[in-house]
Amino acid sequence: MRILKMQSKFLDVFLESLNKFGNLYGPTYKNKVLSYDRLANISDLVLTDEHPMIPIKKLFHPMKFTMLHFNEMGFTPDYSTIEKRVILGVHPCEIHSLLILDSVFMREPMDPYYAQLRQNSAIIGFSCLPTENSLCFSTDTDIVEEGFDLFFVNLGEYFLVWVGSSLGHDMIYEREEFFDKNVTHDDIQEYVEWRQKKNKMFKKSFEFDSMPDIMELSYESEIWEEFAKICLSCGQCSMVCPTCNCYSVTDVFDVTNEQIGRRDRNWDSCMYVDYSLVAGGHNFRASRGNRLKLWYGHKLKTFGKDYGRPGCVGCGRCVDSCPVDINVLTISEALTTKEVPEK
Amino acid sequence: MTLIETVENPFKPKAARIVRHYDLIKDHRFFQIRHIDMAKAMSFSYNPGQFIMLSIPGVGECPFSISSTPSRPGILELGVRRVGKLTESLFQKRDNEVVYIRGPYGNGFKLDKMVDKDLIIVAGGLGVIPLRSILYYALDNRDQFKRVFFLYGARTPNEFLFKTEFFQLKNRKDIECLYTVDKSDAEWPHATGVVTKLFKNLPEIDPSETTAVVVGPPVMYKFVIDEFLKLKIPKNLIQLSLERRMKCGIGKCGHCAIEHLYTCMDGPVFTYWDTLHFRELI
Ligand SMILES: Cc1cc2nc3c(=O)[nH]c(=O)nc-3n(C[C@H](O)[C@H](O)[C@H](O)COP(=O)(O)OP(=O)(O)OC[C@H]3O[C@@H](n4cnc5c(N)ncnc54)[C@H](O)[C@@H]3O)c2cc1C
Ligand code: SF4
Ligand code: SF4
Ligand code: FES
C-alpha cells in the first residue's frame, strides 16, 4: 500500500477539497453530542479521540428510512437516501465495524440500500488514541489494513497517509502539491514509536481471544441469570454497538389516502421483550438471560455462519452506555471468574 | 446522480392474484395464488420446505410455507391460520384480488439425501402445511423414492386439515397413510391418540435406507424424534422445520437468529444433528 506524508497545516484545505468527490460527512457536535452528520463547513468537523455516541452504521444502515413506496400499482423502491459522500474522521474500530456489517448486508442477496450507500461513500480514516473505555487493542481492531480510501495517522507536525483504494489515489492526485512521496526512515521510526506509545495507553482490556471457548462452556452458567435480573431490556446496547444490525419493518399509510403509503425500516434490538415472538405467542427467547446470551454470543463468539470473527470491535460504547453496567468487560470477567462484579 | 435504479431489489414484492380460496377448518384458509406476470409464474422454482414472504400493502409482510409442490408449476398454494393483523387482512381478500409476494426463501428439505430411500413424513397440526409440499413431490416423482409413509396427527377431527384430499390418498397403494386425532368423535374413522402412537403401525424398516421429516408444534419434536431414534434412523437424516419470527427472509434483519444461524437462510429446515449442536433450536 502506498504511504505518503502531509504537513498538518494542509489538512483543512485538503479535506475541504474532497467535496469534489461527494458531500462531506464526519463527526460534529449536534446539540452538544458528537455525531456523524453532514458538514456544512470543514470547520464543523471534530477530529477527536472520542467516538460519536451513535456509531457510523447510522450512515449506512440508517436508524429509520423508507425502503419502498406503495400504491394501487404495487411497490417501488425509494433510494433517496443515496448520495455521493466523503466520510471524514473515521476511527479504525468503525472501519472494522463496516467490514463486519458488509458480511451481513453485502452477502447475497445484497441489501440494495446498504450496498448503494456503501458504494457511493468514500471513507477517510483517522488514527485515534485510546480513551477511557477503548478495548480495540484486546479485539485486534486498533489498526486497519483495508476498508478505507485514505487513512491519516497523526504524528503531530505531519500526517502519514495510507492510500487504500484507487479513489483514494484520485483524491491525492487532485492535490498532489500537499503530499510528499519521500517517507523517510525517521518518519517510519516515529510512526513505530507512536504505535508503541499508543499500545501502552489502554486502560482496560479483556480476553477476547479465549471468549469463544469460555462462552461455549458457560452456556448453562447461572451468571447469565444474574445479569438478566438487572438488565432493563432498554436496547441501548444495540443502538450504540457498531455491529448490531437488527431492524424491524413497518407499513405506514399516507394520512390523505388509504391506497398509498410506505414501508419503513427501523433499528430494532434483540433485547426488547417482543423480539422473538412467533404466531401463537410462543416466545423462543422469552427470558432476558437468553436474550443476553444471543447478544453476547454475537459479539464474543460467532457472528453469522460464514464470517470469521465475532462482532465486537472494542469501541467501548457498551461500557459507556449500559445503565446497569452490562458490557463486554463485565460479561467476560464474570464468565471467566464465575463471579458477578459488585456494583 | 446516476443511481443503479436497475439494481435488483430483493425486498420489492411482486403482484400475485388469489386464484381460489376455501376454508380448511375454522380460521384456517387455503389459498391458491399466481404471479400476475405469467412468465414469472411459470419460472418460479422452489423446493419443498421453502417459504415466501407475503405482503399486503399498508398491513405488512409475513412468512408462509409453500404448501404446493414444484412438480406442479404455475400456482402456489398456502395454508394460513388467522392469528393477527396480516392474516386477518388476508382473510378479507376475495378471489382475483391482489397480494404481493417475494421468494422463495430458506433452504428447503435436502432432497438429494432423500431420494432412493424410504421416506417417513410425520406432521403435527399446522406442520402439515409445509409437509404437504414434500408429500406431493414424492407422489409426483414416485419412482425416486422407495416406500412412502405419511403420519398425520391433529387435536380433533375438526382440526384435521385437508381432510378430503388426505382421506382420498388412503386409497392409493403406493403410499401408507396413517391418521390420528388426540380426541376423536363418533364419526372419526381413524386412530385416536398422539401421533407417536402411529409408529407401532409401521412395518419393519431398514434405518440405513430411510429418511424422515417432521414438522409440528415445538412440543411434538422431542417425542417424534425419540421414535425416529428408536428406529435407528441416522440423526443427520432426520429433518425438521423451525419457525422463528422473520422480517426479511434473506439474512439481514436478524430477527430469526439462533446463535450464529439465520433460520431464514440456514433453515428453516435443519437436521436433528444440527439441532444437537445448537442448543436453542428446539
Ligand atoms: C418459515 C415460516 C413459515 C410459516 N408458515 C406459515 C404457514 O404456512 N401458515 C401460517 O398460517 N403461518 C405460517 N407462519 C407463521 C406466520 O408467518 C405468522 O402467523 C404471521 O406472520 C402472523 O402475522 P399476523 O400479522 O397475522 O399476526 P400479528 O398480528 O403480527 O401477531 C399475531 C401473532 O403472530 C406473531 N407474529 C408476528 N409477526 C410474526 C412473524 N413475522 N412471524 C411469526 N410470527 C409472528 C405475534 O408475535 C403474535 O403472537 C410461518 C412462519 C415462518 C417463520
Ligand atoms: S444490557 Fe444494558 S443497555 Fe442492554 S438492554 Fe440491558 S440494561 Fe439496556
Ligand atoms: S460489544 Fe461493546 S465494545 Fe464491542 S463493539 Fe459492541 S458496543 Fe463496542
Ligand atoms: S428473517 Fe431477517 S434475518 Fe432471517
Side-chain angles (χ1 to χ4, degrees), chain A residues 15 27 36 45-47 67-68 72 101 128 146 149-150 185 194 234 236 242 250 270 284 303 315:
Chain A
L15 293 181
Y36 288 104
L45 175 68
V46 181
L47 292 173
M67 298 169 71
L68 302 154
E72 313 85 71
L101 292 179
C128 53
E146 52 170 337
D149 296 284
L150 294 175
H185 187 77
W194 172 83
C234 67
Q236 178 76 5
T250 14
C270 60
F284 285 95
F303 184 84
C315 71

Side-chain angles (χ1 to χ4, degrees), chain B:
Chain B
M1 167 111 351
T2 50
L3 286 179
I4 332 160
E5 290 285 348
T6 52
V7 71
E8 183 58 24
N9 189 317
F11 297 104
K12 185 185 150 143
K14 306 221 161 39
R17 214 176 274 294
I18 297 175
V19 178
R20 186 165 85 102
H21 77 269
Y22 63 83
D23 281 340
L24 292 164
I25 56 170
K26 182 175 180 291
D27 292 333
H28 292 65
R29 191 166 285 180
F30 178 73
F31 291 93
Q32 288 184 322
I33 59 177
R34 187 168 65 203
H35 280 99
I36 289 182
D37 177 355
M38 259 323 254
K40 179 82 191 162
M42 296 313 293
S43 66
F44 189 89
S45 65
Y46 59 94
N47 279 328
Q50 286 194 289
F51 62 94
I52 55 161
M53 296 295 290
L54 183 145
S55 281
I56 298 179
V59 183
E61 189 175 45
C62 290
F64 295 101
S65 310
I66 304 175
S67 191
S68 46
T69 162
S71 46
R72 301 174 195 177
I75 282 188
L76 290 172
E77 294 172 343
L78 309 176
V80 177
R81 180 163 66 121
R82 170 160 39 184
V83 293
K85 219 169 89 186
L86 183 115
T87 46
E88 179 61 51
S89 163
L90 183 59
F91 271 58
Q92 304 304 319
K93 297 265 177 214
R94 296 289 157 256
D95 287 351
N96 220 24
E97 285 194 58
V98 173
V99 292
Y100 293 84
I101 59 175
R102 58 188 178 93
Y105 296 131
N107 54 358
F109 295 109
K110 295 164 183 65
L111 289 171
D112 56 329
K113 288 191 180 166
M114 301 162 76
V115 291
D116 296 328
K117 292 197 162 79
D118 284 353
L119 172 61
I120 307 179
I121 301 171
V122 180
L126 280 188
V128 78
I129 293 169
L131 286 176
R132 182 172 171 272
S133 179
I134 186 74
L135 173 70
Y136 287 145
Y137 180 89
L139 292 177
D140 289 355
N141 298 278
R142 192 60 193 82
D143 52 334
Q144 289 182 21
F145 299 85
K146 293 198 176 138
R147 292 177 297 174
V148 179
F149 304 98
F150 176 44
L151 283 57
Y152 174 29
R155 265 186 300 201
T156 65
N158 289 333
E159 289 177 48
F160 196 91
L161 303 180
F162 302 105
K163 204 180 263 169
T164 322
E165 265 177 60
F166 289 164
F167 279 19
Q168 271 172 13
L169 277 188
K170 276 239 158 219
N171 302 329
R172 280 181 73 144
K173 294 273 174 296
D174 55 355
I175 174 172
E176 174 100 40
C177 300
L178 299 169
Y179 304 138
T180 186
V181 290
D182 296 354
K183 268 200 218 89
S184 63
D185 58 22
E187 275 127 68
W188 178 251
H190 305 290
T192 305
V194 291
V195 75
T196 42
K197 279 201 165 173
L198 297 173
F199 277 80
K200 66 176 189 313
N201 301 330
L202 286 177
E204 184 98 0
I205 68 139
D206 173 357
S208 65
E209 288 298 313
T210 308
T211 70
V213 296
V214 51
V215 185
V219 287
M220 193 188 93
Y221 283 115
K222 192 190 166 313
F223 298 105
V224 171
I225 286 166
D226 279 349
E227 295 296 328
F228 289 148
L229 295 178
K230 276 188 221 156
L231 294 174
K232 303 230 160 27
I233 300 174
K235 296 186 181 71
N236 65 335
L237 294 181
I238 300 172
Q239 300 181 68
L240 41 100
S241 175
L242 298 176
E243 263 190 32
R244 283 297 183 278
R245 190 162 191 174
M246 293 183 183
K247 290 279 172 184
C248 74
I250 53 174
K252 311 294 178 211
C253 76
H255 275 261
C256 67
I258 303 177
E259 298 207 11
H260 65 282
L261 295 177
Y262 283 148
T263 327
C264 66
M265 300 278 284
D266 306 312
V269 175
F270 293 93
T271 67
Y272 177 56
W273 179 251
D274 297 329
T275 68
L276 290 177
H277 293 270
F278 304 111
R279 280 155 297 207
E280 250 195 84
L281 235 42
I282 38 180

Side-chain angles (χ1 to χ4, degrees), chain A residues 241-242 295 299 312-318 328:
Chain A
C241 180
W295 206 93
K299 302 306 163 193
C312 179
V313 294
C315 71
R317 287 185 180 90
C318 55
V328 285

Side-chain angles (χ1 to χ4, degrees), chain A residues 138 205-212 214 300 328-329 332-333 336:
Chain A
S138 305
S205 69
F206 72 111
E207 278 292 315
F208 182 69
D209 293 339
S210 46
M211 280 318 288
I214 293 177
L300 300 174
V328 285
L329 285 180
S332 58
E333 185 182 312
T336 312

